[in-house]
Amino acid sequence: MASTYPPLAKGAHVDSMDKYKSMYERSMKDPEGFWGDFAADFHWNKKWDTGDDFHKYNFDLDKGGIHVSWFNGAETNVSYNCLDRHVKAGDGDRVCFFWEGNDEGVESVTTYKQLLDQVCQIANFMKSQGVGKGDEVTIYMPMIPELPATMLACARLGVVFSVVFAGFSAESLAGRISDSSPKMVVTCSAVKRGAKHIELKKIVDEALAILDGEEQVHVPRVLVYDHKASGVAREAIHASLVEGRDVWWQDVIGDQPTECEVEWVGAEDPLFKLYTSGSTGKPKGVVHTTAGYMLGSAATFKYVFDYKPEDVYWCTADCGWITGHSYVTFGPLLMGAKQVLFEGVPTYPTAGRCWEAVDKYNVTIFYTAPTAIRTLMACGDEHVTKHKRTSLRILGTVGEPINPEAWRWYHEVVGNSKAAIVDTWWQTETGAHMITPLPGATPVKPGSATLPFFGVEPALLDDKGNEVEGVGQGYLVIKRPWPSMMRTVANDHHRFEQTYFSGYKGYFFTGDAARRDEDGYFWILGRVDDVINVSGHRIGTAEVESALVGHHVCAEAAVVPVDHPIKGQAIYAFVTLMNGFEYPPEESVRKELVAQVRKAIGPIATPDVIHWAPGLPKTRSGKIMRRVLRKIASNEEDQLGDISTLADPGVVQVLIGLRGK
Ligand code: WTA
């Protein structure tokens, strides 16, 4: 039996299970009343239609195309609700960002009014370049205040933005730009992350050079922020500026007027797209729309973190991921929160960096990933205990299943057993928290994401697609739409329908499996598709395989996940070389293949192991048996099971013989 911890947040918005249950019930029975009441705190240029028109959907492919809409007929603007609304209410001097740069002592403070002014300036510049409603902008920036500011400037104009994590390679960036045809790319000279310098502008140049041959991609304007704290001087980059294409941020933004009228947009107009990996093909652009996403990110921010105006909040995620969208840029700013914006990494310059900053800003709510928790745990308690941390009251985790040891360490050492832990399960596709405790209401069990958030109706399905009732496990699906769910895949609605709705008719399929215990709590078991969760980042096995076979020495590759003590999962690649190679080949071949993956995707996709494979275990019809490869990768060949269906069972022994070679 797992131990249960009582809910620790005192005086919370939701302070008992009874209150959670009654709010949950209302969200199910009366979505219009529930979300309409929450929406009343926001500004609407035009109110939504009521009754049957409020919310429409079809989740069943047998009944036609998949579609979802909420707040039909309404007009609003997310940027207005994040900024103007607070400034108009007299909160302009309130701090929105305490920015902590990568190096200690490099910092700045921004107020809501200052951010509004800057957002208007960026928006005015975009307008001056002919960028407007419905156009697209690609953002490739590090965690500096100008990153959320650019996102908000786009939202202000109804421009659809796509943030590409500034750790992706030029090739990945090129793929995303090519899929978007942005009118502008916003980037930065360089960034220092930990002890490393990364020249982002150079990567943008490389990406655009890759696209040079593609006719349909018109050359976007490139806006380059000169990031002095990166340690790379403007002069060092200046020569790379392309006349007529590139322009320094500092040369054009400061002179723009600090007022810019918002573009009112429809509730279902797209707000942004964010590329994420799936089991097949290229990463897909997950599209989120305006009103539903706004309310979903704000409501979860308020209830899951029990946010109150006196809180100081800090989420360590990068805006290149969905967590940075919903819980750095939108949720917190919609609620008028004061937050720490962090450019660096938790272990630089020491493993005490986070806790030092917690004390410096009196952080009350801290949100990070299990991989960061495990990394810091491995560095030793002394880095934590030498800081006070008495301000902390809520500790959140996201991105991958958290193992109970890491959960307890987070709770007992970081939180002094006083802070409530919220293990939040959700996805790029869901836009906001889906299964999560509420810190003043839900008793928690280490490793369980517990119960559904308001409006979310999860279910578990068996192999035949029947619902598993009560205690049991199965594929995790969602039975009805929630406001912040994705609406489509950019340029490919068919792929949206096939990926999420074709497996189980009438349900949204999450790609995860889960178990439900005797208290109805959900325990996420991880992905059941070909997605590897490395340090909380989604990497498609197909993407890594296609990167590997992109190298001329590689004939075939099969990539599987393997458990890793810090990263959760690591990438394990079986590689068959072209005819003529001996096994094992020279060490330089391995290095080249690893470099190839880093070039095609980025350092986050670096395989931990390349296992030479003169042959791969295949069925007679030529299908690779990944189950067998997983067992070999995990040193569990005693549990291979039935391999009699293999075309050549002998390959298994050959592979085992090449382990570690
Ligand atoms: C995994 C991140 C267990 C899961 C917000 C999901 C989790 C994928 C949790 C989505 C959690 C996320 N416990 N697993 N609390 N949170 N996951 O799109 O496999 O980057 O499907 O969104 O991360 O990853 P994504």
Side-chain angles (χ1 to χ4, degrees):
M1 266 287 290
S3 45
T4 303
Y5 294 70
L8 287 172
K10 301 277 173 281
H13 296 302
V14 183
D15 58 2
S16 68
M17 278 308 267
D18 284 347
K19 185 156 180 198
Y20 161 72
K21 282 181 190 148
S22 72
M23 286 176 77
Y24 181 79
E25 228 159 83
R26 179 168 183 234
S27 74
M28 288 289 124
K29 287 198 184 121
D30 177 21
E32 183 177 346
F34 183 89
W35 291 106
D37 282 359
F38 191 75
D41 286 345
F42 295 85
H43 179 85
W44 301 86
N45 187 51
K46 197 168 151 244
K47 276 277 162 71
W48 49 91
D49 303 334
T50 54
D52 287 347
D53 291 333
F54 169 72
H55 164 48
K56 296 186 174 155
Y57 76 99
N58 173 38
F59 255 25
D60 189 345
L61 273 176
D62 287 343
K63 297 191 181 133
I66 303 298
H67 65 90
V68 171
S69 62
W70 289 85
F71 289 84
N72 288 314
E75 279 179 11
T76 185
N77 183 291
V78 177
S79 179
Y80 185 97
N81 277 298
C82 286
L83 301 170
D84 307 58
R85 194 166 56 95
H86 305 308
V87 172
K88 285 200 161 72
D91 285 332
D93 292 335
R94 206 175 145 77
V95 169
C96 56
F97 298 137
F98 295 107
W99 181 67
E100 267 286 300
N102 179 70
D103 288 320
E104 281 180 303
V106 176
E107 56 192 50
S108 69
V109 177
T110 310
T111 66
Y112 275 85
K113 175 70 171 80
Q114 287 167 337
L115 184 60
L116 172 60
D117 288 353
Q118 189 186 33
V119 165
C120 287
Q121 290 182 317
I122 305 166
N124 280 325
F125 174 69
M126 287 180 174
K127 268 166 84 171
S128 77
Q129 301 301 303
V131 181
K133 190 174 176 188
D135 289 336
E136 301 200 18
V137 164
T138 300
I139 306 175
Y140 188 69
M141 291 180 100
M143 284 296 278
I144 54 179
E146 286 72 15
L147 167 51
T150 304
M151 296 161 82
L152 290 164
C154 292
R156 191 167 195 87
L157 300 177
V159 169
V160 182
F161 58 86
S162 147
V163 184
V164 179
F165 173 58
F168 277 119
S169 68
E171 283 181 28
S172 289
L173 175 61
R176 286 150 169 85
I177 291 176
S178 158
D179 195 56
S180 299
S181 297
K183 280 212 170 149
M184 188 178 284
V185 174
V186 185
T187 189
C188 181
S189 50
V191 61
K192 191 170 170 215
R193 196 174 289 136
K196 277 186 266 176
H197 295 271
I198 306 158
E199 292 200 18
L200 299 178
K201 165 65 168 60
K202 209 190 242 167
I203 298 173
V204 169
D205 288 342
E206 284 168 27
L208 292 175
I210 293 170
L211 297 177
D212 230 4
E214 286 190 29
E215 290 159 27
Q216 79 276 18
V217 181
H218 90 130
V219 181
R221 201 90 166 102
V222 180
L223 178 63
V224 190
Y225 183 81
D226 172 21
H227 188 21
K228 299 199 170 53
S230 68
V232 175
R234 175 170 165 145
E235 297 72 50
I237 307 275
H238 193 75
S240 78
L241 260 61
V242 176
E243 181 79 40
R245 187 193 77 177
D246 305 352
V247 46
W248 284 113
W249 175 297
Q250 278 84 345
D251 289 351
V252 294
I253 300 293
D255 294 338
Q256 297 290 334
T258 53
E259 273 171 27
C260 173
E261 254 184 60
V262 301
E263 184 78 40
W264 299 112
V265 298
E268 285 298 337
D269 280 347
L271 177 64
F272 66 87
K273 61 185 185 183
L274 182 58
Y275 288 84
T276 193
S277 296
S279 34
T280 53
K282 286 200 252 169
K284 47 188 175 293
V286 167
V287 176
H288 282 287
T289 57
T290 298
Y293 176 82
M294 176 170 90
L295 298 175
S297 59
T300 47
F301 181 75
K302 174 175 173 179
Y303 292 116
V304 174
F305 297 125
D306 187 40
Y307 168 74
K308 313 250 175 61
E310 55 276 18
D311 280 311
V312 177
Y313 165 85
W314 180 10
C315 167
T316 63
D318 191 287
C319 287
W321 311 109
I322 191 68
T323 307
H325 282 64
S326 304
Y327 301 108
V328 175
T329 303
F330 294 109
L333 295 180
L334 284 163
M335 295 304 295
K338 289 185 264 195
Q339 68 174 315
V340 177
L341 194 67
F342 182 43
E343 184 185 36
V345 294
T347 46
Y348 180 83
T350 72
R353 181 72 189 270
C354 289
W355 322 122
E356 191 180 320
V358 162
D359 283 356
K360 177 171 166 188
Y361 298 108
N362 288 311
V363 171
T364 57
I365 307 168
F366 182 76
Y367 192 31
T368 197
T371 188
I373 298 168
R374 289 190 295 261
T375 303
L376 295 175
M377 187 171 147
C379 294
D381 292 5
E382 64 278 11
H383 292 287
V384 187
T385 51
K386 75 171 178 232
H387 303 284
K388 294 210 309 281
R389 294 157 289 114
T390 43
S391 52
L392 289 172
R393 66 182 198 93
I394 312 276
L395 296 172
T397 144
V398 59
E400 37 170 333
I402 182 165
N403 47 314
E405 302 72 46
W407 194 104
R408 285 197 197 90
W409 184 80
Y410 200 28
H411 178 63
E412 286 160 21
V413 180
V414 175
N416 273 329
S417 303
K418 293 199 179 91
I421 306 273
V422 284
D423 176 359
T424 60
W425 174 83
W426 61 294
Q427 312 179 292
T428 306
E429 291 87 342
T430 70
H433 300 150
M434 298 290 280
I435 300 181
T436 171
L438 298 184
T442 320
V444 284
K445 305 180 196 183
S448 171
T450 76
L451 298 168
F453 187 72
F454 307 131
V456 176
E457 190 179 7
L460 301 177
L461 301 183
D462 64 19
D463 283 331
K464 297 200 184 74
N466 298 318
E467 284 194 28
V468 176
E469 305 291 340
V471 177
Q473 75 178 53
Y475 301 114
L476 179 61
V477 295
I478 313 292
K479 286 176 83 163
R480 59 160 97 186
W482 59 101
S484 66
M485 76 174 283
M486 74 183 289
R487 300 297 196 258
T488 189
V489 167
N491 312 320
D492 202 349
H493 194 68
H494 180 70
R495 189 168 175 200
F496 169 65
E497 295 179 332
Q498 290 306 309
T499 308
Y500 303 102
F501 294 94
S502 69
Y504 305 100
K505 292 287 156 59
Y507 300 92
F508 170 88
F509 176 50
T510 64
D512 280 319
R515 177 167 73 80
R516 186 168 38 218
D517 73 10
E518 59 287 353
D519 293 319
Y521 279 29
F522 288 90
W523 299 72
I524 307 298
L525 301 170
R527 305 286 308 193
V528 289
D529 52 5
D530 293 321
V531 170
I532 307 187
N533 192 328
V534 185
S535 301
H537 301 322
R538 280 165 66 166
I539 314 279
T541 54
E543 280 172 81
V544 183
E545 288 162 4
S546 112
L548 287 166
V549 296
H551 194 288
H552 63 89
V553 302
C554 178
E556 191 168 21
V559 167
V560 296
V562 62
D563 287 347
H564 187 280
I566 302 287
K567 299 193 241 187
Q569 290 187 324
I571 296 173
Y572 195 110
F574 291 88
V575 169
T576 307
L577 296 168
M578 289 294 187
N579 283 341
F581 275 96
E582 303 265 322
Y583 293 89
E586 285 180 27
E587 195 50 31
S588 60
V589 177
R590 186 193 315 270
K591 290 209 177 97
E592 273 186 45
L593 286 169
V594 169
Q596 171 79 9
V597 176
R598 294 169 67 98
K599 182 165 152 283
I601 306 173
I604 54 169
T606 307
D608 269 33
V609 179
I610 302 265
H611 189 136
W612 304 117
L616 289 167
K618 291 184 184 169
T619 59
R620 280 182 203 97
S621 58
K623 200 169 160 339
I624 296 174
M625 285 183 80
R626 286 166 191 279
R627 172 178 67 80
V628 171
L629 292 176
R630 272 200 204 118
K631 291 291 176 201
I632 296 174
S634 315
N635 261 324
E636 291 172 350
E637 51 266 15
D638 51 326
Q639 302 163 35
L640 280 180
D642 181 13
I643 54 167
S644 62
T645 55
L646 285 180
D648 172 13
V651 297
V652 171
Q653 278 316 315
V654 176
L655 286 178
I656 292 170
L658 278 165
R659 174 176 292 130
K661 297 280 165 59

